[in-house]
Amino acid sequence: MNPLNHVAIIMDGNGRWGLKYKNSRNAGHKVGLNTVEKIIKETIKNRINFLTLFAFSTENWKRPKKEINYLFGLLENFLINRIEDLHKQNIKLKILGSKKFSPKLNKLLRNSERKTLNNTKLQINLALNYGSKSELIDAFKRIKKNKSTITEKNLSRNLQTKNIPDPDLLIRTGNTKRLSNFLLWQLAYSEIFFEKKLWPAFNVKDYNRIIKEYKLIKRNFGRI
Ligand code: IPE
Ligand code: IPE
Ligand code: MG
């Protein structure tokens, strides 16, 4: 059976779910947060060490201001209400992406990272204002500035994911089969599951079914 150290998730489909059941995209984002809570719990149960969640892409700024503000409001409340408990559960929070939000949210994010820095049970990487292409460009710029050589190792350690092993498993909910600028380098050898269900409808049973199937895959890494 394959070990499972790192799960990455593109949490897609909140808007469609919200429109369908509550006549509001934002309502879908709110319910999507419940799925996040359940998946975190189940990730710990499965003794997985890293969980990376794609919450807001560099391209998501193209959405209406009202939706963007609602999303960041949700995140603010989540951090204010839940960080203490996550800390007690020995969870480490790391933000991927550039922190270019309101001063209040930037500070909350920095404080949450600082508070949980030495926790060891589960590392949650929250990808916020994250785009893989800009992450790669920044890495190349840094390598050039330091006059180092371009090698796989050097590139990996200049990414925001330095010190984080590549995902073993990527799950994308919401019935679309694309990566949407997420971890293009790091997903080179990940097992990918595209799930039809929208994120608010995705549940622990679905998650465990995918994990079970993942564990039985023959991972070749080029070998036979
Ligand atoms: C994913 O759900 C969450 C974010 C991008 C913030 P969407 O908001 O993209 O939901 P759909 O894809 O429009 O249904
Ligand atoms: C990907 O979902 C980003 C997140 C889940 C945060 P999108 O809904 O933004 O992706 P596209 O635009 O449909 O590719
Ligand atoms: Mg979407």
Side-chain angles (χ1 to χ4, degrees):
M1 279 217 294
N2 296 316
L4 182 51
N5 192 33
H6 183 176
V7 177
I9 305 182
I10 301 175
M11 309 182 288
D12 196 21
N14 287 348
R16 278 165 287 162
W17 189 95
L19 275 182
K20 187 167 175 202
Y21 295 104
K22 313 240 171 195
N23 206 22
S24 135
R25 288 183 53 85
N26 285 347
H29 291 309
K30 190 158 181 221
V31 177
L33 206 50
N34 298 338
T35 308
V36 172
E37 295 270 9
K38 286 182 217 154
I39 293 303
I40 291 174
K41 246 195 193 155
E42 203 60 23
T43 303
I44 293 173
K45 264 197 193 160
N46 277 285
R47 297 170 193 275
I48 295 161
N49 296 313
F50 296 88
L51 174 66
T52 301
L53 300 172
F54 201 9
F56 194 87
S57 73
T58 46
E59 289 73 29
N60 288 145
W61 293 109
K62 295 173 194 163
R63 295 188 179 203
K65 253 221 153 78
K66 206 174 137 228
E67 180 166 337
I68 295 175
N69 289 340
Y70 185 82
L71 273 168
F72 290 129
L74 268 184
L75 178 64
E76 270 182 27
N77 282 337
F78 177 80
L79 290 172
I80 291 168
N81 296 324
R82 299 287 293 115
I83 196 67
E84 194 59 49
D85 181 53
L86 295 178
H87 180 51
K88 276 196 192 128
Q89 291 185 65
N90 199 12
I91 293 173
K92 172 176 173 174
L93 184 71
K94 156 120 185 110
I95 306 301
L96 303 178
S98 38
K99 292 188 198 72
K100 287 184 183 151
F101 312 107
S102 68
K104 185 182 174 198
L105 182 55
N106 288 338
K107 195 171 160 204
L108 256 173
L109 292 168
R110 270 198 306 273
N111 288 346
S112 304
E113 281 186 303
R114 199 178 310 133
K115 186 183 183 76
T116 61
L117 187 67
N118 297 316
N119 291 345
T120 53
K121 180 139 210 134
L122 166 69
Q123 175 167 338
I124 298 177
N125 307 304
L126 192 61
L128 272 182
N129 188 20
Y130 171 86
S132 185
K133 287 191 179 179
S134 83
E135 181 193 29
L136 282 163
I137 286 169
D138 288 347
F140 282 122
K141 281 185 184 158
R142 227 171 291 132
I143 291 173
K144 194 174 164 200
K145 202 171 132 206
N146 298 337
K147 300 191 168 60
S148 343
T149 46
I150 295 178
T151 59
E152 281 191 20
K153 211 171 172 184
N154 233 343
L155 186 69
S156 291
R157 64 168 169 238
N158 278 286
L159 294 172
Q160 293 174 33
T161 50
K162 62 170 182 283
N163 305 325
I164 301 171
D166 287 343
D168 299 296
L169 169 59
L170 170 74
I171 301 169
R172 180 178 187 140
T173 59
N175 201 22
T176 39
K177 298 186 177 76
R178 54 179 175 251
L179 295 180
S180 304
N181 202 14
F182 188 48
L183 302 174
L184 302 177
W185 172 273
Q186 297 88 336
L187 292 172
Y189 258 110
S190 310
E191 303 301 331
I192 302 183
F193 285 72
F194 293 109
E195 167 68 36
K196 285 209 172 92
K197 279 194 182 176
L198 305 172
W199 179 249
F202 188 71
N203 61 37
V204 164
K205 216 172 134 194
D206 301 315
Y207 190 39
N208 282 320
R209 173 193 20 96
I210 292 172
I211 290 173
K212 200 171 157 195
E213 197 177 325
Y214 156 83
K215 288 196 171 165
L216 298 173
I217 292 172
K218 182 169 178 281
R219 302 187 78 189
N220 288 345
F221 299 102
R223 294 184 294 260
I224 52 168

